[in-house]
Amino acid sequence: MTYQAAVRDILFTLEHIADVYDLQGTGAFPDLSADLVQAIIEEAGKFTTKELASLNRAGDQHGSTLLDGVVTTAPGFKAAYSKFVEGGWQGLSFPQDDGGMGLPGVLGVAFMEMLQAANMAFGLGPMLTMGAIEVLIQAGTEEQKQTWLPKLITGEWSASMNLTEPAAGSDVGALSTSAKPLSDGSFLLAGQKIFITWGEHDCVENIIHLVLARTEDAPAGTKGLSLFLVPKFLEDNDGNFTIRNDVFAIGLEHKMGIHGSPTCVMEYGANTGAKGWLIGKEMAGMAMMFIMMNSARLNVGAQGVGIAERAWQQAYNYAIDRKQGRAIGLEQYPAAIIHHPDVRRMLLIGKAKIAAARAITYACGFAADQAAHHPDATVLEQAKRREDLLTPLAKSYGSDIGCEVSSSALQVHGGMGYIEETGAAQHFRDARITPIYEGTNAIQAIDLVGRKLSMAGGLLFVEMFVDIKACVDDCASAADKRLQTIAEQLSLAADSLQFAVNYLSDPKCSQADRLSGATAFQTMSAQTIGGFYLAKGALAAVKLLDEQGQDEKYLTGRIDLALVFAKSVLGTVPAGISEVTITADTIFALDIEGLAP
Amino acid sequence: MTYQAAVRDILFTLEHIADVYDLQGTGAFPDLSADLVQAIIEEAGKFTTKELASLNRAGDQHGSTLLDGVVTTAPGFKAAYSKFVEGGWQGLSFPQDDGGMGLPGVLGVAFMEMLQAANMAFGLGPMLTMGAIEVLIQAGTEEQKQTWLPKLITGEWSASMNLTEPAAGSDVGALSTSAKPLSDGSFLLAGQKIFITWGEHDCVENIIHLVLARTEDAPAGTKGLSLFLVPKFLEDNDGNFTIRNDVFAIGLEHKMGIHGSPTCVMEYGANTGAKGWLIGKEMAGMAMMFIMMNSARLNVGAQGVGIAERAWQQAYNYAIDRKQGRAIGLEQYPAAIIHHPDVRRMLLIGKAKIAAARAITYACGFAADQAAHHPDATVLEQAKRREDLLTPLAKSYGSDIGCEVSSSALQVHGGMGYIEETGAAQHFRDARITPIYEGTNAIQAIDLVGRKLSMAGGLLFVEMFVDIKACVDDCASAADKRLQTIAEQLSLAADSLQFAVNYLSDPKCSQADRLSGATAFQTMSAQTIGGFYLAKGALAAVKLLDEQGQDEKYLTGRIDLALVFAKSVLGTVPAGISEVTITADTIFALDIEGLAP
């Protein structure tokens, strides 16, 4: 059995954890129905597994090549991209007025997960394009929208996101790419950008680069940054895009993984100057960047879930087929290794972590949809707060478990996992970039502790604790003993998280102490909230089991999955306190020289 | 600054944690002195960093090639191997009577760590040879010793360890390679072995293969296995080794890492039959295998420590050089990233984990030396029990932190860490094999829970708890507040571990429940015992600080390092209980179909 989209898990999470149908109340999605959701997810599952999954290994083996500024993608990628465009997948969650399918963003997140699971290197292209579309929709002028949006939404054109420079990674304030105004209102850009995902390739006719740069006399730091749209091809007098702009790929990175994704060094304006247009206001670059980044952060979370699912399925299939040793209470010798407790443990806990991370990303996508569309301002604002809370958690936890699960999946294979031909190693290598890009997970933790914790007077966590408390009460009063255990574990985890929130929110807690415990706090938060969503799913499963015609086995499994997460992952949450409260004094006790080997 | 052997940490651990000079009491090492230990470690540090560290990347890039049965190693490897032989390093911990240096095995472990840090792919060759030498010393006939040992100990010949077959990995009982007796007392072997590290290469004149095989009419399973010595070249009538034996490399694996180490598919007896000789008694193959395996398990632990140290140093150097963003309380902008709390946290906790794993491996090496040589039977038996307890912990914890630290070291680099040229990715890829080979870490956990826990009526853990308790008392009564904190954390961790020991030792705990919690128990054990050894080092540092002429800064740092380990790692030990007690019912709640995607 090869990889297949996790349609059943995706639908369950959309329907019973992310409450996708509640979006009918926004009025923004008149066609939204159970039939439609099911049809879209099944169709997306078919497309991604059929057209993209089989190219994953070829992408890894061949990568992309650069010759005279032309990037040729791996064999099969260009044809697959055409089919991606044909299916209209790029426009899935964008307004019908702009040429999209007009479906909720949370379905876009589910699609993104399947896309990344099928082929992470390929999926990065559409993911970056999505962020650019968001920016244009939210901040582009009418003319800009008319010029650029249609072909981006069909997928005929792609986009790239140009932030990083050699001396400016996490610190975007240090960017030095310059933009000079021209009399026609456009700008000439000059500078070098690195780590530009799908910055140049052969799958589309035009590439729209969104570039952070500094206008003349702009102040230093982030305040002086503006965002520019720089197309690969400019419009000629006939309205065709034939004039080659002065932006070229001058290098491709040799990476540990995602070989199929061309990671470019982009040179802007080395010759005549790269022509571009301001998006949004001058000096509003950071706000623009955050539109792209928020889209990318959530999608990287989905990507982590996707690569984990793919790696997990491979391990599951191997564990069923591979026979080795004697298993307790089993006649057959040799036994399939899935019968050995430690293999089963790795698979089960991996599945539970994937389910939790998936729930967080979809819940975040749902909150974003409500925050964008809900007619009731109170609901809308609350949804915005939920989105703000969940975005760093979706990114960090999705990417963290992407690495963890692809590692345990490799381990399930034993020595075979280390052999490249097996395929497990590719997932492990591919996954490792996700905690780094689109803001390292430490940057997410700084966002969580530095901004989100105190935002709206601390309401983000207060509201989450209210929801968790209600869920604990529901679980505790359920007849099923498993739910009672879940209630106990979730309650203990939430108490620990509350303790950590209080510690970090205390004005006596210094900024340095806060940052020293930030990553551990982020992990505690994601684990607790992930456990809460799985408990919510378990409660839904209990209710569904009372109905006729349900998949009894699957629903019981959802309860077991929540239970195993509660016992294993939620059980470790209280231990996070000692890491959250470690203090800067401890972290900095050894000075630089004292640390030296 | 490039990689340098961690001489200061290694000496401190040997002297103040592993108590290397107590081996003087065995009478087996008359030359053992502080001067000698220091000289050997410094010399080993020079050799490994100068001759081997610089070849590490070439090994990764070029790997080995196989043409017509001939394996050519990466550029520079052959010349470096000659220097390795010249220095007599292979014989470091073997008896002078056999041509070795006659030093304790624990110094061999320290050397192994440096060797693996400098060049893991290279270091695997000597590591495997070491295991074969152990077997010959302990179980070879006088004639076998005279024939094979001298050139193995000089390093002029190397050895390989042939266990795995395509259908027999962790389950060696399923091996099918056959051995037919000949009238001259030798055997003809036939069969295929896979994953044979340094099975064929161009660095030495002869390769001595130790091969697990089944004699005719031998019973099925492990009981029917015997160990054979099969040289690449057989002795001719003139006493020279010129006759090519029928054993050939027929394939090289394409692995995720350790590219410089040729991993061979070996074919025995495809033509005339591969001539070999029985080592030890017929059907005693498992006992022989455990001699090799115990040596290899401890050395893989040292390898994990080595690769972690190498990766850590690269991250440390990068964090000093790389400037990015503004750091709290620091004037300079941009600040070196080592001033950012999360980067500092990763480096500090990484260093503490390395120190703990190093302490466990050296303590294990010391126990093995005492167990082999101590004249007092009571001391010897106690040492054997300590060695038995620490061996699975050294292997699993060393390799686990090898992966963890090489991953956090990559993370410190941000996006640059994912670029192959940076070098961080190689360490991450190389390290990932260590939890798999020489018995997966799950196999180590089964050994710990299935054999070691109940061995000698449970005395292995009882004795360890006595030592930990004494250390807690010493720390608690120290004037230094840091030691008091360490005492609290260590005491809590030990209580949790004791709880887990009681749970798993209870006759009511089923075998399936025991195996379901085995890996978590192994982690709890290693973390607690690692924390104990660091606390022991901190106590030694306190004493040394009262003496004149000591490196005050370094010794204070040792206390801080123990403290950070106590606050971060020991703090998480109690959380392990929920994973240890998870039960088979929970692990197997979802059946195979229920797990399916």
Side-chain angles (χ1 to χ4, degrees):
Chain A
M1 193 168 61
T2 54
Y3 166 72
Q4 58 182 69
V7 170
R8 198 166 55 170
D9 287 335
I10 290 171
L11 284 173
F12 183 89
T13 309
L14 284 170
E15 295 178 343
H16 304 296
I17 299 181
D19 302 324
V20 64
Y21 304 125
D22 284 6
L23 291 174
Q24 288 164 338
T26 64
F29 310 104
D31 302 338
L32 187 66
S33 70
D35 286 350
L36 180 71
V37 168
Q38 183 160 351
I40 286 286
I41 297 300
E42 283 178 356
E43 205 51 48
K46 275 182 212 157
F47 167 72
T48 53
T49 51
K50 181 166 171 249
E51 304 296 342
L52 300 176
S54 55
L55 297 177
N56 195 41
R57 180 130 178 81
D60 188 54
Q61 289 180 300
H62 299 280
S64 307
T65 50
L66 169 68
L67 196 69
D68 300 331
V70 176
V71 171
T72 306
T73 50
F77 272 43
K78 192 171 173 174
Y81 213 104
S82 295
K83 290 187 178 157
F84 172 77
V85 174
E86 252 171 55
W89 294 110
Q90 186 73 66
L92 190 139
S93 56
F94 294 112
Q96 287 178 325
D97 289 351
D98 294 318
M101 293 192 201
L103 293 167
V106 65
L107 291 187
V109 175
F111 173 71
M112 195 50 69
E113 179 201 315
M114 288 183 265
L115 182 67
Q116 305 296 342
N119 196 324
M120 183 171 152
F122 181 97
L124 276 162
M127 186 178 117
L128 273 290
T129 301
M130 225 170 138
I133 294 172
E134 288 282 0
V135 172
L136 281 168
I137 288 178
Q138 290 189 41
T141 63
E142 270 316 303
E143 196 194 336
Q144 285 172 338
K145 287 185 194 181
Q146 279 171 26
T147 310
W148 310 111
L149 266 186
K151 290 205 168 184
L152 283 173
I153 286 181
T154 59
E156 288 163 282
W157 293 352
S158 75
S160 81
M161 187 165 147
N162 295 247
L163 279 55
T164 306
E165 296 177 7
S170 297
D171 182 11
V172 288
L175 294 173
S176 71
T177 294
S178 67
K180 267 193 197 176
L182 296 178
S183 55
D184 66 355
S186 69
F187 288 78
L188 277 189
L189 278 82
Q192 204 182 83
K193 296 285 181 178
I194 60 168
F195 297 158
I196 307 309
T197 299
W198 284 81
E200 176 59 43
H201 61 99
D202 58 353
C203 297
V204 296
E205 292 159 19
N206 203 358
I207 301 171
I208 313 307
H209 305 288
L210 297 193
V211 188
L212 270 189
R214 206 175 287 285
T215 46
E216 284 177 321
D217 309 321
T222 53
K223 284 179 202 164
L225 295 173
S226 306
L227 187 72
F228 297 89
L229 183 155
V230 183
K232 176 177 171 183
F233 284 103
L234 300 160
E235 200 171 4
D236 61 22
N237 292 333
D238 301 329
N240 299 316
F241 290 80
T242 58
I243 305 170
R244 189 69 169 89
N245 203 356
D246 186 11
V247 44
F248 292 94
I250 58 166
L252 282 185
E253 303 291 356
H254 178 221
K255 309 182 298 296
M256 183 169 71
I258 49 167
H259 296 158
S261 166
T263 303
C264 305
V265 180
M266 301 299 295
E267 179 91 55
Y268 288 86
N271 310 299
T272 56
K275 198 174 174 78
W277 291 269
L278 190 64
I279 306 277
K281 295 200 175 127
E282 202 176 330
M283 317 285 179
M286 287 306 282
M288 299 297 108
M289 188 189 86
F290 275 114
I291 299 173
M292 289 194 285
M293 285 292 278
N294 277 338
S295 160
R297 290 203 285 173
L298 177 51
N299 282 329
V300 170
Q303 186 170 55
V305 175
I307 193 75
E309 175 71 35
R310 173 90 188 237
W312 185 91
Q313 284 191 25
Q314 168 149 355
Y316 171 80
N317 291 330
Y318 186 82
I320 289 173
D321 288 342
R322 169 75 171 170
K323 289 175 180 58
Q324 189 83 173
R326 199 172 291 285
I328 297 170
L330 210 75
E331 281 288 308
Q332 302 99 294
Y333 173 81
I337 63 170
I338 198 165
H339 296 293
H340 294 307
D342 200 70
V343 171
R344 183 69 71 98
R345 180 190 64 81
M346 287 193 276
L347 288 171
L348 186 62
I349 292 180
K351 194 176 178 74
K353 285 178 178 172
I354 292 169
R358 178 181 286 129
I360 290 174
T361 55
Y362 292 10
C364 184
F366 168 81
D369 282 325
Q370 283 214 314
H373 301 292
H374 208 283
D376 181 333
T378 312
V379 177
L380 185 142
E381 276 159 29
Q382 189 167 359
K384 182 79 193 108
R385 288 192 293 273
R386 183 56 52 95
E387 181 194 1
D388 282 337
L389 173 62
L390 294 182
T391 300
L393 301 182
K395 197 277 175 181
S396 60
Y397 195 60
S399 58
D400 280 343
I401 69 106
C403 292
E404 287 170 29
V405 176
S406 64
S407 181
S408 64
L410 190 153
Q411 188 75 19
V412 166
H413 289 78
M416 287 306 295
Y418 202 63
I419 306 299
E420 283 291 354
E421 283 76 3
T422 308
Q426 184 191 343
H427 305 140
F428 178 73
R429 289 186 285 100
D430 284 354
R432 190 59 188 84
I433 186 59
T434 59
I436 296 173
Y437 61 18
E438 308 305 345
T440 67
N441 285 2
I443 298 278
Q444 308 301 322
I446 292 171
D447 174 47
L448 185 69
V449 164
R451 294 179 61 233
K452 305 304 174 61
L453 191 60
S454 57
M455 203 180 253
L459 206 51
L460 281 59
F461 273 95
V462 168
E463 287 168 344
M464 179 51 82
F465 282 123
V466 169
D467 288 357
I468 293 176
K469 178 75 172 60
C471 179
V472 166
D473 291 345
D474 288 347
C475 289
S477 60
D480 193 315
K481 279 216 163 178
R482 292 172 295 179
L483 285 165
Q484 294 166 20
T485 304
I486 291 168
E488 284 162 26
Q489 294 289 95
L490 181 56
S491 178
L492 283 172
D495 288 349
S496 300
L497 185 62
Q498 181 70 69
F499 180 92
V501 165
N502 296 346
Y503 166 83
L504 293 168
S505 307
D506 192 321
K508 280 178 290 183
C509 184
S510 73
Q511 177 71 347
D513 282 348
R514 221 169 261 147
L515 293 182
S516 300
T519 292
F521 176 70
Q522 180 166 257
T523 302
M524 285 180 78
S525 300
Q527 290 174 332
T528 305
I529 294 170
F532 152 61
Y533 283 122
L534 289 187
K536 183 179 172 186
L539 285 167
V542 167
K543 269 195 194 158
L544 288 165
L545 279 167
D546 286 340
E547 294 174 17
Q548 290 277 312
Q550 294 289 341
D551 185 342
E552 207 172 307
K553 182 158 193 155
Y554 180 74
L555 293 171
T556 306
R558 290 297 316 191
I559 304 170
D560 288 325
L561 213 54
L563 180 66
V564 82
F565 190 87
K567 284 194 184 179
S568 57
V569 181
L570 285 181
T572 67
V573 170
I577 288 178
S578 65
E579 291 174 280
V580 168
T581 60
I582 196 163
T583 76
D585 277 355
T586 307
I587 291 285
F588 287 87
L590 285 172
D591 63 17
I592 292 178
E593 196 193 316
L595 270 173
Chain B
M1 193 169 60
T2 54
Y3 166 73
Q4 59 183 68
V7 169
R8 198 166 53 170
D9 287 337
I10 289 171
L11 284 173
F12 183 88
T13 309
L14 283 171
E15 294 177 343
H16 304 295
I17 299 180
D19 302 324
V20 63
Y21 304 127
D22 284 5
L23 291 174
Q24 288 164 339
T26 63
F29 310 105
D31 301 338
L32 188 67
S33 70
D35 286 349
L36 180 71
V37 168
Q38 184 160 350
I40 286 286
I41 296 300
E42 283 178 357
E43 205 51 48
K46 276 183 212 157
F47 166 72
T48 53
T49 50
K50 182 167 171 245
E51 304 296 343
L52 300 175
S54 54
L55 297 177
N56 194 41
R57 180 128 177 83
D60 189 54
Q61 289 180 298
H62 299 280
S64 306
T65 50
L66 170 67
L67 196 69
D68 299 332
V70 176
V71 171
T72 306
T73 50
F77 272 43
K78 192 172 174 174
Y81 213 103
S82 296
K83 289 188 179 156
F84 171 77
V85 174
E86 251 171 56
W89 295 109
Q90 186 74 66
L92 191 138
S93 57
F94 294 112
Q96 288 178 325
D97 289 351
D98 296 318
M101 293 192 201
L103 293 167
V106 65
L107 291 187
V109 175
F111 173 70
M112 195 51 68
E113 180 201 316
M114 289 184 265
L115 181 68
Q116 305 295 343
N119 196 324
M120 184 171 151
F122 182 97
L124 276 163
M127 186 180 119
L128 272 291
T129 301
M130 226 171 138
I133 295 172
E134 288 282 0
V135 172
L136 281 168
I137 288 178
Q138 290 188 42
T141 62
E142 270 317 302
E143 196 194 335
Q144 285 172 339
K145 288 186 194 181
Q146 278 172 27
T147 310
W148 309 111
L149 266 185
K151 290 205 167 183
L152 283 172
I153 286 182
T154 59
E156 287 164 281
W157 293 351
S158 75
S160 81
M161 187 165 147
N162 296 247
L163 278 57
T164 306
E165 297 177 7
S170 296
D171 181 11
V172 289
L175 293 173
S176 71
T177 293
S178 67
K180 266 191 198 177
L182 297 178
S183 55
D184 66 355
S186 69
F187 288 78
L188 276 190
L189 277 84
Q192 204 182 85
K193 295 285 180 177
I194 61 169
F195 297 160
I196 307 309
T197 300
W198 285 82
E200 176 59 43
H201 61 98
D202 58 352
C203 297
V204 295
E205 292 158 19
N206 202 0
I207 301 171
I208 312 307
H209 305 289
L210 296 194
V211 187
L212 269 190
R214 206 176 286 283
T215 45
E216 284 178 320
D217 309 322
T222 53
K223 284 179 203 166
L225 295 173
S226 306
L227 187 73
F228 298 87
L229 184 155
V230 183
K232 177 178 171 182
F233 285 103
L234 300 160
E235 200 170 3
D236 61 22
N237 291 332
D238 301 328
N240 299 316
F241 290 78
T242 58
I243 305 169
R244 188 69 169 87
N245 202 356
D246 185 12
V247 44
F248 291 93
I250 57 166
L252 281 185
E253 302 292 356
H254 178 222
K255 309 181 299 295
M256 183 168 72
I258 50 167
H259 296 159
S261 166
T263 303
C264 305
V265 180
M266 301 299 294
E267 179 93 54
Y268 287 86
N271 309 300
T272 55
K275 200 176 173 77
W277 290 269
L278 190 64
I279 306 277
K281 295 202 176 124
E282 202 176 328
M283 318 286 179
M286 286 305 283
M288 300 297 108
M289 188 189 87
F290 275 115
I291 299 173
M292 291 193 286
M293 285 292 278
N294 277 338
S295 160
R297 290 204 285 173
L298 176 52
N299 282 328
V300 171
Q303 186 170 53
V305 175
I307 193 75
E309 175 71 36
R310 173 87 186 240
W312 185 91
Q313 285 191 23
Q314 169 149 355
Y316 171 80
N317 291 329
Y318 185 82
I320 289 172
D321 288 342
R322 171 73 172 171
K323 288 175 179 58
Q324 189 83 174
R326 199 171 292 284
I328 297 171
L330 210 76
E331 281 288 309
Q332 303 99 294
Y333 173 83
I337 62 170
I338 198 165
H339 297 293
H340 295 307
D342 201 70
V343 171
R344 184 68 71 99
R345 180 189 65 79
M346 287 192 276
L347 288 172
L348 186 62
I349 291 180
K351 194 176 178 74
K353 285 178 179 173
I354 292 169
R358 178 180 287 128
I360 290 174
T361 55
Y362 292 10
C364 184
F366 168 81
D369 282 325
Q370 283 214 312
H373 300 293
H374 208 283
D376 181 333
T378 312
V379 177
L380 184 142
E381 276 159 30
Q382 189 167 1
K384 181 79 194 109
R385 288 192 293 272
R386 184 55 51 95
E387 181 194 0
D388 282 337
L389 173 63
L390 294 182
T391 301
L393 301 182
K395 196 279 174 179
S396 61
Y397 194 61
S399 58
D400 280 344
I401 70 105
C403 292
E404 286 171 29
V405 176
S406 64
S407 180
S408 64
L410 190 153
Q411 189 75 19
V412 165
H413 289 78
M416 288 306 295
Y418 203 62
I419 307 298
E420 283 291 352
E421 283 76 3
T422 307
Q426 184 190 344
H427 304 139
F428 178 73
R429 289 186 286 100
D430 285 354
R432 190 60 188 84
I433 187 59
T434 59
I436 296 174
Y437 60 20
E438 309 305 345
T440 67
N441 286 2
I443 298 278
Q444 308 301 322
I446 292 171
D447 175 46
L448 185 68
V449 163
R451 294 180 62 234
K452 305 304 173 59
L453 191 59
S454 58
M455 204 180 252
L459 206 51
L460 280 60
F461 273 94
V462 168
E463 286 169 345
M464 178 51 82
F465 282 124
V466 169
D467 287 358
I468 293 177
K469 178 76 173 60
C471 179
V472 166
D473 291 345
D474 287 347
C475 289
S477 60
D480 193 315
K481 279 216 164 179
R482 292 173 295 179
L483 286 165
Q484 293 165 20
T485 305
I486 292 169
E488 285 162 27
Q489 294 289 93
L490 182 55
S491 179
L492 284 172
D495 288 349
S496 300
L497 184 61
Q498 181 71 67
F499 180 91
V501 165
N502 296 347
Y503 167 83
L504 294 168
S505 307
D506 192 321
K508 280 178 289 183
C509 185
S510 73
Q511 177 71 348
D513 283 348
R514 221 169 262 148
L515 293 182
S516 299
T519 292
F521 176 69
Q522 180 166 258
T523 303
M524 285 180 78
S525 300
Q527 290 174 332
T528 305
I529 293 170
F532 152 61
Y533 283 122
L534 290 187
K536 183 180 172 185
L539 285 167
V542 168
K543 270 196 193 157
L544 288 165
L545 279 166
D546 285 341
E547 294 175 16
Q548 290 277 312
Q550 293 289 343
D551 184 342
E552 207 172 308
K553 181 155 193 156
Y554 180 73
L555 294 170
T556 306
R558 291 297 315 191
I559 304 171
D560 288 323
L561 213 54
L563 180 66
V564 82
F565 190 87
K567 283 195 184 178
S568 58
V569 181
L570 284 182
T572 66
V573 170
I577 289 178
S578 65
E579 291 175 279
V580 169
T581 60
I582 197 164
T583 75
D585 277 355
T586 308
I587 291 285
F588 286 88
L590 286 172
D591 63 16
I592 293 178
E593 196 194 317
L595 270 173

